[in-house]
Amino acid sequence: TERTFSIIKPDATERNLTGKVNAVIEDAGLRIVAQRRIRMTRQQAETFYEVHKERPFFGELVDFMTSGPVVVQVLEGEGAVAKYREVMGATNPAQAADGTIRKLFAKSVGENSVHGSDSLENAKIEIAQFFTDADIV
Ligand code: ATP
Ligand code: MG
């Protein structure tokens, strides 16, 4: 079965929404097979979002992702990468479909409650940044 990488972002942990986000994930048939609450360092956030480093919002994004605790997760299920993108909804909550995590909880395009890998290749890279094989059960 396929795995994807998820982050519950600081805007969601700040509002105590971890359980509600996880309920949407589990109701969609995805299994949380690893999970840890951490405070990201600037170095970790910069490495994680390396692909966006030339974008105008990069500094803001790193500031936000290090502004409070996040929950990093590995999700497992059939077609997990695409399925979780669907469950998250569009990056901008104003464009997100009803019932998606971002429609339900996101505050703005920046503070949009969750991250999910956008390809199987990136999922593997992102999982390896935060978890070892032994962490995933
Ligand atoms: P993520 O990678 O977090 O799952 P995504 O793939 O939907 O989200 P990306 O285009 O990869 O969106 O952007 C990464 C993150 O950068 C977004 O989730 C959001 O937090 C932030 N971001 C994207 N566009 C903007 C913007 N215009 N202004 C501020 N922040 C933005
Ligand atoms: Mg992305």
Side-chain angles (χ1 to χ4, degrees), residues 49 52 85 115-118:
Y49 281 118
H52 296 311
R85 295 292 293 188
H115 161 84
S117 308
D118 58 12

Side-chain angles (χ1 to χ4, degrees), residues 4-75:
T4 193
F5 179 72
S6 162
I7 304 177
I8 303 178
K9 296 186 180 184
D11 69 283
T13 61
E14 203 273 329
R15 287 174 289 153
N16 218 16
L17 292 171
T18 299
K20 286 190 167 128
V21 170
N22 281 349
V24 178
I25 290 169
E26 292 184 336
D27 286 348
L30 290 164
R31 188 173 296 275
I32 301 163
V33 292
Q35 174 168 261
R36 190 165 70 246
R37 184 169 152 118
I38 61 167
R39 184 73 182 251
M40 265 199 203
T41 63
R42 289 197 77 79
Q43 181 60 64
Q44 276 178 311
E46 283 171 5
T47 300
F48 185 77
Y49 281 118
E50 180 93 51
V51 290
H52 296 311
K53 72 171 180 293
E54 303 306 329
R55 299 239 232 148
F57 57 80
F58 180 72
E60 197 184 313
L61 179 58
V62 170
D63 286 346
F64 170 58
M65 292 301 287
T66 56
S67 69
V70 301
V71 179
V72 291
Q73 307 176 304
V74 180
L75 310 182

Side-chain angles (χ1 to χ4, degrees), residues 91-126:
T91 309
N92 183 346
Q95 271 130 45
D98 284 348
T100 61
I101 292 169
R102 284 165 168 168
K103 175 71 167 203
L104 288 166
F105 306 122
K107 294 168 78 170
S108 66
V109 66
E111 302 195 10
N112 61 1
S113 303
V114 281
H115 161 84
S117 308
D118 58 12
S119 68
L120 193 51
E121 188 193 359
N122 283 335
K124 287 181 177 146
I125 293 167
E126 292 172 2

